[in-house]
Amino acid sequence: MAKYLLLKHYRGAPAAVNDVPMDQWTPEEISAHVQYMNDFAARLEGSGEFVDGQALAPEGTFVRYDGEGRPPVTDGPFAETKDLIAGWMVIDVDSYERAIELAGELSAAPGAGGKPIHEWLEVRPFLTEPPTITE
């Protein structure tokens, strides 16, 4: 089994087919979307392929170390993940092909008008060992 991270983006990926931002959805559309995500996760729990998943709040701060005795530095001159990443799901599957299949299914979550979003999801394998350095 191999673990994969399925990343849902606010922006930064190609536009979804049903590209209406969630803040413009009705409460019923949001409920239907959340229910789809919960049902999808429950199905994967049943098959042993679900590890974890979360939606992320829009608030967030970048932090980095700035030296001994100095306060951490927050934010910076770069795109913030709070502006890019909407949520994630970790799956543990038998193959890359299965990860792609599940990401495709997850992409069909309903959005505005109850129509599938067909959003782009980023599929990233977990690093299982340090990368090999070649000289």
Side-chain angles (χ1 to χ4, degrees):
M1 300 281 277
K3 288 188 175 80
Y4 290 87
L5 176 65
L6 308 180
L7 279 174
K8 295 174 65 70
H9 293 270
Y10 283 120
R11 61 177 181 251
V17 172
N18 186 358
D19 197 22
V20 178
M22 189 179 252
D23 63 1
Q24 296 176 23
W25 296 2
T26 66
E28 294 78 18
E29 291 166 342
I30 292 171
S31 292
H33 181 81
V34 170
Q35 187 63 54
Y36 182 96
M37 301 297 289
N38 290 339
D39 291 347
F40 184 84
R43 196 180 90 230
L44 294 185
E45 282 183 272
S47 67
E49 295 174 305
F50 181 79
V51 176
D52 196 11
Q54 298 292 323
L56 299 175
E59 302 82 30
T61 304
F62 270 103
V63 177
R64 73 172 171 85
Y65 177 76
D66 199 37
E68 189 66 38
R70 299 178 66 170
V73 175
T74 60
D75 288 317
F78 37 77
E80 299 195 37
T81 55
K82 67 185 176 198
D83 295 333
L84 301 175
I85 300 172
W88 51 269
M89 183 176 287
V90 176
I91 57 174
D92 194 2
V93 294
D94 288 326
S95 66
Y96 172 78
E97 290 76 17
R98 177 67 174 152
I100 296 299
E101 175 186 346
L102 292 174
E105 256 184 78
L106 190 58
S107 167
K115 296 177 183 167
I117 299 172
H118 297 287
E119 67 184 324
W120 290 90
L121 298 177
E122 185 176 353
V123 178
R124 305 265 315 258
F126 278 34
L127 191 61
T128 57
E129 58 186 54
T132 304
I133 298 173
T134 58
E135 294 183 33

